[in-house]
Amino acid sequence: QVQLVQSGGGLVQPGGSLRLSCTVTRFSLDYVTIGWFRQAPGKEREGVSCITSTDDSTYYADSVKGRFTISRDKSVVYLQMNSLKPEDTALYYCAAAMGLIVPTMDRPYDYWGQGTQVTVSS
């Protein structure tokens, strides 16, 4: 079964940077899209970014375009977060959508990481 283990997160000042990591088992063996979601208190879960295993095609939410970068190195997917804002504060999850070969976050994701807190505050 696919497992996702996250690392990173923490407290960072506005304008700072943080990198999240998601290690995915069997990533290279399946057609899969890995996505990053976030959920802040009182808000709906938001799809932030995703990347495909087939050709590394990517998607970014408008709220993070130009600031966040998703990338993949073998079975590890990263979310590099620059120019962080207080509104980026949320619990961040990585997730895998099996069989998904286009970068979309509007389809069900099958497996989820444990989540990691990102707090942007001075």
Side-chain angles (χ1 to χ4, degrees):
Q1 184 170 293
V2 174
Q3 296 184 95
L4 299 91
V5 179
Q6 299 179 222
S7 63
L11 176 65
V12 65
Q13 294 183 353
S17 298
L18 206 60
R19 188 176 73 167
L20 306 182
S21 299
C22 179
T23 300
V24 186
T25 64
R26 303 182 69 248
F27 185 93
S28 63
L29 303 178
D30 300 284
Y31 296 122
V32 61
T33 291
I34 305 299
W36 289 97
F37 297 82
R38 66 186 182 185
Q39 188 163 26
K43 294 186 177 181
E44 295 293 319
R45 188 178 64 198
E46 176 188 18
V48 176
S49 183
C50 62
I51 187 167
T52 67
S53 66
T54 53
D55 61 358
D56 285 341
S57 295
T58 60
Y59 159 86
Y60 296 95
D62 288 342
S63 58
V64 305
K65 284 181 179 177
R67 300 189 299 119
F68 290 12
T69 303
I70 192 169
S71 62
R72 181 179 66 84
D73 184 4
K74 298 183 180 179
S75 63
V76 183
V77 175
Y78 302 97
L79 185 67
Q80 178 67 46
M81 304 182 293
N82 298 327
S83 302
L84 283 162
K85 306 174 181 179
E87 51 262 45
D88 295 316
T89 296
L91 188 64
Y92 284 71
Y93 298 90
C94 64
M98 308 306 296
L100 185 60
I101 60 174
V102 295
T104 179
M105 310 198 76
D106 296 326
R107 308 282 177 82
Y109 278 65
D110 304 292
Y111 302 96
W112 293 78
Q114 79 276 19
T116 186
Q117 180 68 37
V118 172
T119 301
V120 184
S121 176
S122 60

